[in-house]
Every structure is written in structure tokens, then in C-alpha cells.
Amino acid sequence: MKEFKNNWFIQLKVWLRALVRDPKQFFRYRDKFQCSFCGYRGYFVTARRGYIHGPFRCPNCESRPRDRNIALFFQKNALSFDGKNILHIAPEWPLFRQLKAEGGYVGGDIQKRRNANSIVDITSINFDANHFDFLICNHVMEHVQDDKKAMGECYRVLKNGGIAIFSVPLSGKSETWEPPVGMSVPEIEGIVGWDHKRYYGYDFADKLEKFGFKVEIFRITEAEAKRHGIGSGDINDEIFIAKK
């Protein structure tokens, strides 16, 4: 997104954490990757102990595969945020750092965090209708109990002609899996992951369209995934581009 700049403090923090979490990664054969977010080229770090996730986090900006997917969408569509109102739900550090200086940027979370500048509940967004030009919701909806209410709120606060960018973990199936009534939280999380409420299928696009969005799916290529350190398991993490 921006011209490459060495972030030495972040690199030191990330590599020290990597040394503790998975020291063996420094002795394995590794490929180098290009971060689509900050432009860094070199080795990425694994997500946690073991190599199950392969190259995961850029050491220069802390971007994850899901962040680099969005960066590729920004680049390919030459999006500019200058003078725009932007709502970023549960901000990730890489994008928060780059956008927080924008006058119309709202990095909103349901609780106070260092990488947020506003308290925002996605099921009851405290802004007027038709306020934002862009809305970014990256791996949030799977944590929201009432996702329908959240989708309606996202549509309400987006301007006509605005763009909402959604991503969620996808099962690869056509239909979303919703837990049956009475299933315990541990049982649900054993299937869908910690704090997740459901496992979305490709009908996520249909769910958004019921609220008035026009949805297209942005997909990266195998070559792009390989170049930017996005593992094969993340290629199905497509981005849903919802326009009002």
C-alpha cells in the first residue's frame, strides 16, 4: 500500500516473539515473500509453535494473510481514502497504523483498545445513516451473535455508492453452518473455533444482499498467494465487496 519503510521496532518485537513461540523455524528451509501490505520482502514468521500455518505474519508490519488479501484488493482497484469517511470495525494493527491519521477514519471496537480510536458496537453503530464512504469488517462477523442486525447496521451507515469490505472464515461449502439450539459453547467452538458463532459458507454473499448490498467476490490467484505468503488454506478466505 505504501512505499516500503523499515519498521525496526516492530521487526524486533515480532522476531523476538517468533524466537519464543517457534525457535525451530530459524533452522528450516524457508522461502522469501513479498508483503502486499508494506512492501517488505524476506522471511515471514509462523503463527505459533509448529509449522502448521507456514509463513504467516510479516515481521515488518505484522500483517496476516487476511490483511494481505485486502491490501491486494486495494492495490488492484487503486482505492484512495483521502478525504473519505472510513469505518474500520475491530481494527487490525497494520491498517490502523496506516489510516489513523486520516481525518475521517473511525477505528471502532466494542471495547477500548490501543488500536482503536472509538467505541463502536457493530450491532448498534453510533453514527448517522449514509455517513461512511468505506467500511472495513475483516474477520468480525463470525464473532457477532446477531450477525443479521450487524449487517443491517453496516448497510445503514454506508453512503450510497459506498463500498463495504467483508471477510470471514469460510468453510468452502455453499451454506453457512449454524449451531443447533441447545448446543453448548464448548461444542460450538470445537467445530468453528474460539468465540466463533457459526461457520460461514458462500451464502454469506446472499446474506449481505438481503439487506440491499450488491456483492462481488474478490479472489486472489495461486501465484499471488505464493508470492505474498498466503497459504493454500487462506485462498478460500475471499473478500466480499458489498456496494450500496
Side-chain angles (χ1 to χ4, degrees), residues 4 15 30-35 39-45 55 57-60 227-229:
F4 175 67
W15 284 120
R30 293 179 291 169
D31 291 321
K32 292 183 177 180
F33 301 95
Q34 180 87 36
C35 178
Y40 164 89
R41 178 168 175 76
Y43 298 118
F44 285 179
V45 302
R57 194 177 294 275
C58 169
N60 189 63
R227 184 181 312 123
H228 300 293

Side-chain angles (χ1 to χ4, degrees), residues 8 81 83 123 129 141 179 209 211 241:
W8 299 113
F81 298 121
T123 63
M141 286 296 185
E209 287 181 341
F211 291 92
I241 309 303

Side-chain angles (χ1 to χ4, degrees), residues 34-55:
Q34 180 87 36
C35 178
S36 56
F37 209 99
C38 71
Y40 164 89
R41 178 168 175 76
Y43 298 118
F44 285 179
V45 302
T46 57
R48 55 180 68 91
R49 290 186 185 276
Y51 204 53
I52 186 170
H53 289 287

Side-chain angles (χ1 to χ4, degrees), residues 1 36-37 67-77 218 220 224-225 227-228 230 239:
M1 294 174 62
S36 56
F37 209 99
D67 306 315
R68 295 191 288 276
N69 269 349
I70 287 182
L72 287 171
F73 170 74
F74 291 159
Q75 291 171 16
K76 289 187 175 185
N77 291 274
F218 172 80
I220 62 171
E224 288 169 333
R227 184 181 312 123
H228 300 293
I230 301 172
I239 300 169

Side-chain angles (χ1 to χ4, degrees), residues 1 6 13 25 35 55 57-58 66 89 100 143 146 156 158 160 162 164 178 180 193 203 211 215-216 220 235-236 243:
M1 294 174 62
N6 270 310
K13 178 182 70 173
Q25 68 184 288
C35 178
R57 194 177 294 275
C58 169
R66 67 184 72 164
I89 300 292
K100 64 181 180 179
H143 298 280
D146 192 344
R156 180 184 67 82
L158 195 67
N160 290 328
E178 296 278 359
D203 60 347
F211 291 92
V215 181
E216 298 177 355
I220 62 171
I235 294 176
N236 285 336
K243 298 180 180 179

Side-chain angles (χ1 to χ4, degrees), residues 55-114:
F56 184 78
R57 194 177 294 275
C58 169
N60 189 63
C61 70
E62 299 185 280
S63 69
R64 297 162 294 179
R66 67 184 72 164
D67 306 315
R68 295 191 288 276
N69 269 349
I70 287 182
L72 287 171
F73 170 74
F74 291 159
Q75 291 171 16
K76 289 187 175 185
N77 291 274
L79 293 183
S80 172
F81 298 121
D82 291 343
K84 303 296 185 182
N85 290 330
I86 309 150
L87 176 59
H88 186 190
I89 300 292
E92 305 81 12
W93 271 112
L95 193 53
F96 178 75
R97 291 190 189 103
Q98 291 199 4
L99 293 179
K100 64 181 180 179
E102 299 287 342
Y105 175 75
V106 175
D109 201 289
I110 199 167
Q111 59 188 356
K112 188 175 181 179
R113 292 170 54 194
R114 290 189 300 125

Side-chain angles (χ1 to χ4, degrees), residues 169-184:
L170 288 170
S171 66
K173 298 179 180 179
S174 59
E175 294 185 358
T176 295
W177 180 84
E178 296 278 359
V181 175
M183 179 175 278
S184 70

